Amino acid sequence: MAPEMIPLAGEENKKRVCYFFDSDVSGFHYGPGHPMKPTRIRMCHSLVMNYGLYKKMEIFRAKPATKREMTQFHSDEYVEFLSRITPSNMQNFTKEQHKYNVGDDCPVFDGLFEYCSISAGGSMEGAARLSRDKCDIAVNWAGGLHHAKKSEASGFCYVNDIVLGILELLRYHSRVLYIDIDVHHGDGVEEAFYTTDRVMTCSFHKYGEFFPGTGELRDIGIGKGKNYALNFPLRDGITDESYRSVFEPVIRSVMEHYDPGAIVLQCGTDSLSGDKLGCLNLSMRGHASCVKFVKSFNKPLLLLGGGGYTMRNVSRCWAYETGLAAGVELGSEIPMNEYYEYFGPDYELDVKASNMEDLNTPGYLERVKNIILEHVHQIGGPPSVQMQDIPRIPVDDIMDDPGRDDDLIPPDERRPQSILDSRRQADGELSDSDDEGEGGRRDHASHRELDGTGSATGRRFGAAVGIMSSGSTHGVGPSVAPPVTSAAPPSGISGTAGTGTATATATGSSSQSDMDIDEESSNGQISTATRPRSKSKPPAPSTSNTSADVPMSGPS
């Protein structure tokens, strides 16, 4: 039986969704016992593909971000350090590791820089495609690493893909709204844009003796950025109803008063009930309701990943939210996939809330909500930005004509994998597949296998094949050149991520590796043999306001 996908009510205008995934991301490992496991992204992708969501959106493998692109926000020295350090030479960088906070919560592992490049590349290209009207929603679950600073790793994050994506959006949009629903405060993004009104940051997070120790209610920005940083400190155990009662009024007010040109939503799933490092009590549907509400404003939307350390719940939630972005609600029964046994014992697509006590009293939530709404009202209205021509950079030419250099490759040389990936499969190329019967497609049977009544008695031609070859994958199509006049980009901002290549990465069955996945036994109980590490002890909350050195003009 095919997995169930129910169209969402009220979706008159179907959204164009670009989904970014790189199969290499599952090959990186922070180390034994570390709670951050990139394998969770592949687990999510396996659900996305086996539910059949590849029929509803375009799937891309983004071009990894380069060192030069990363230095639009990060310092040259820090990016160079990340590109050079490896487990085999880390003893030669003892001083630098201390300087850049690398080695404990943010360990050195094989392929560290490549991992950062994949994460940043997806967010930057997603932003680029949104800005050029190539899609309405861009999804990069490998992104959302919101703790990284200009010259410092923090909270499992090395390169801040969110800041890099926002900088690209600012080249075309006068104002960008950043929303963070991770259990931890989005300190790296807030710090980067703390002194500007071009970006409003809004974070809902646990506060008080909790990493990173920032995000107090009184932290509202300074200078031109005053009242453009919003922080909603939460207590343990908040429920879906309580979360919705403050999230929707705050975001609605922000949309009315700030009127952003684009929205970036960080969907960290460590705010779900039962997370190894979290302490909130949201269900999967409560978490996803935030995505659905933000999507309803019909603004260009960049959906990013983030925290999340109970991986079977992370993959469930992000797959469900991918479906919402594509305009469908996924059925509760999880389809067969390479990680199927990890979703037992119920094998359902759901994360339920627990009976954890909610320490967020209605009076507390109401008081904090009113204070934040007052800050929003004080901005008066959308800040104006001087308009000028958008400076063209190399990525613009590539995005306008992704195949412009294909003819320069000698005919007797092998085509690069990026070109092979980008070739679009024509609609109807495979007649017998798992989307049989959709869009007027018919079953085709051999005339030799028809009985006297004209009905097929034997096996069909091209019996059903796996997702590896049956999914329709849409690549890069022709597009209209971007407008020549828009919001002035921040001073000093240069090119962003290059184009990606379309690919429908398969997630067919494979033997289970020895990857460290939730240490779950066959009866569904989590083993206590290895204890997950927690993030570093939070520093004492500071009352002083700090911001990135040059938040809107790249490295100095």
Side-chain angles (χ1 to χ4, degrees):
M1 181 178 178
E4 187 178 18
M5 291 189 293
I6 306 169
L8 292 176
E11 292 280 332
E12 293 82 8
N13 298 320
K14 182 180 178 182
K15 302 294 185 184
R16 299 166 297 160
V17 180
C18 287
Y19 171 93
F20 291 89
F21 174 74
D22 192 317
S23 58
D24 292 344
V25 75
S26 62
F28 302 104
H29 198 266
Y30 276 63
H34 199 288
M36 174 64 96
K37 299 179 178 69
T39 310
R40 65 201 180 127
I41 302 164
R42 184 181 177 93
M43 290 179 69
C44 170
H45 182 70
S46 181
L47 289 177
V48 165
M49 296 299 287
N50 284 282
Y51 263 107
L53 282 173
Y54 58 87
K55 307 171 192 175
K56 306 291 184 180
M57 57 192 183
E58 294 181 306
I59 300 179
F60 296 91
R61 173 183 289 149
K63 174 184 174 294
T66 64
K67 289 194 288 185
R68 180 177 179 181
E69 289 163 348
M70 292 179 185
T71 56
Q72 292 176 89
F73 171 61
H74 295 285
S75 67
D76 294 6
E77 297 80 8
Y78 176 58
V79 172
E80 184 64 25
F81 162 76
L82 291 178
S83 68
R84 293 177 59 190
I85 192 168
T86 65
S88 60
N89 68 10
M90 58 186 296
Q91 66 275 6
N92 300 329
F93 294 91
T94 304
K95 181 179 178 181
E96 288 84 354
Q97 288 184 69
H98 180 74
K99 177 181 179 181
Y100 298 127
N101 194 33
V102 171
D104 186 17
D105 277 355
C106 302
V108 178
F109 56 87
D110 286 325
L112 169 60
F113 187 75
E114 289 74 15
Y115 170 72
C116 297
S117 297
I118 291 173
S119 171
S123 298
M124 297 173 75
E125 186 177 331
R129 289 185 175 275
L130 287 170
S131 296
R132 292 159 180 80
D133 196 30
K134 292 180 179 291
C135 63
D136 302 308
I137 301 175
V139 182
N140 177 34
W141 297 130
L145 305 181
H146 57 170
H147 294 307
K149 311 296 195 301
K150 180 177 180 178
S151 298
E152 180 184 334
S154 176
F156 315 158
C157 309
Y158 304 85
V159 171
N160 200 314
D161 63 286
I162 304 173
V163 173
L164 295 172
I166 291 176
L167 290 177
E168 164 59 24
L169 290 172
L170 288 173
R171 296 180 59 233
Y172 286 78
H173 300 280
S174 57
R175 294 174 300 279
V176 174
L177 171 63
Y178 170 69
I179 306 171
D180 193 314
I181 58 174
D182 194 289
V183 72
H184 301 96
H185 176 229
D187 56 334
V189 183
E190 178 182 279
E191 181 179 291
F193 301 109
Y194 206 63
T195 62
T196 180
D197 58 4
R198 295 284 305 280
V199 178
M200 175 173 276
T201 61
C202 187
S203 178
F204 299 80
H205 53 270
K206 158 70 175 174
Y207 179 75
E209 292 299 318
F210 196 72
F211 182 89
T214 55
E216 189 182 11
L217 178 61
R218 292 175 292 180
D219 295 337
I220 59 173
I222 57 175
K224 288 186 66 177
K226 186 176 181 180
N227 294 318
Y228 291 95
L230 305 177
N231 288 294
F232 202 114
L234 300 170
R235 298 171 180 169
D236 290 10
I238 192 167
T239 62
D240 294 348
E241 295 75 15
S242 296
Y243 202 95
R244 186 180 296 110
S245 71
V246 296
F247 181 84
E248 294 188 0
V250 168
I251 298 304
R252 186 181 294 109
S253 179
V254 168
M255 294 298 296
E256 292 173 356
H257 290 82
Y258 189 63
D259 189 27
I263 304 174
V264 178
L265 177 58
Q266 197 266 18
C267 302
T269 51
D270 44 10
S271 50
L272 289 173
S273 176
D275 189 81
K276 290 181 177 180
L277 300 186
C279 55
L280 304 184
N281 195 22
L282 295 182
S283 70
M284 179 190 76
R285 299 182 188 279
H287 190 278
S289 67
C290 298
V291 176
K292 193 172 183 180
F293 182 73
V294 173
K295 177 190 173 187
S296 68
F297 290 99
N298 296 317
K299 297 281 188 178
L301 176 60
L302 179 60
L303 289 180
L304 303 176
Y309 308 100
T310 302
M311 291 197 301
R312 60 187 183 277
N313 292 345
V314 175
S315 52
R316 282 175 163 122
C317 187
W318 284 347
Y320 184 77
E321 290 170 351
T322 304
L324 293 182
V328 296
E329 182 177 353
L330 301 183
S332 61
E333 184 178 350
I334 287 181
M336 267 301 195
N337 64 88
E338 60 186 313
Y339 298 100
Y340 187 73
E341 60 270 30
Y342 293 99
F343 299 104
D346 56 3
Y347 303 100
E348 291 185 355
L349 188 74
D350 196 12
V351 180
K352 297 180 175 64
S354 70
N355 59 354
M356 181 180 185
E357 181 183 2
D358 186 359
L359 300 182
N360 299 269
T361 64
Y364 170 76
L365 294 176
E366 186 68 20
R367 181 173 61 87
V368 175
K369 181 183 72 173
N370 290 336
I371 293 174
I372 290 180
L373 292 178
E374 180 60 29
H375 292 323
V376 175
H377 293 156
Q378 288 179 14
I379 68 176
S384 60
V385 178
Q386 182 181 0
M387 309 296 283
Q388 67 181 40
D389 291 344
I390 299 174
R392 289 192 67 81
I393 55 178
V395 68
D396 293 314
D397 296 327
I398 298 175
M399 291 294 290
D400 292 343
D401 186 7
R404 63 194 181 106
D405 295 329
D406 292 0
D407 294 336
L408 302 180
I409 303 175
D412 55 347
E413 290 187 7
R414 178 187 291 271
R415 288 313 198 237
Q417 186 63 38
S418 60
I419 293 180
L420 299 179
D421 285 342
S422 66
R423 290 180 175 172
R424 176 172 178 166
Q425 175 184 299
D427 292 336
E429 181 176 334
L430 298 176
S431 295
D432 294 315
S433 61
D434 62 349
D435 53 352
E436 192 77 34
E438 295 183 6
R441 304 178 70 172
R442 299 181 303 167
D443 294 341
H444 294 277
S446 169
H447 67 280
R448 297 176 181 175
E449 297 175 354
L450 298 177
D451 58 17
T453 62
S455 62
T457 59
R459 178 174 64 86
R460 290 185 294 122
F461 277 135
V465 292
I467 285 181
M468 295 179 69
S469 55
S470 65
S472 61
T473 306
H474 304 289
V476 180
S479 61
V480 181
V484 297
T485 303
S486 184
S491 172
I493 293 177
S494 57
T496 64
T499 63
T501 55
T503 175
T505 306
T507 57
S509 61
S510 62
S511 59
Q512 180 58 46
S513 68
D514 58 356
M515 288 187 222
D516 177 9
I517 304 177
D518 283 350
E519 297 86 31
E520 190 171 13
S521 62
S522 59
N523 62 3
Q525 299 298 317
I526 299 175
S527 170
T528 58
T530 56
R531 301 296 297 173
R533 298 171 52 211
S534 61
K535 294 193 176 183
S536 58
K537 183 178 180 181
S542 171
T543 57
S544 61
N545 293 329
T546 58
S547 63
D549 294 337
V550 189
M552 296 299 291
S553 58
S556 57

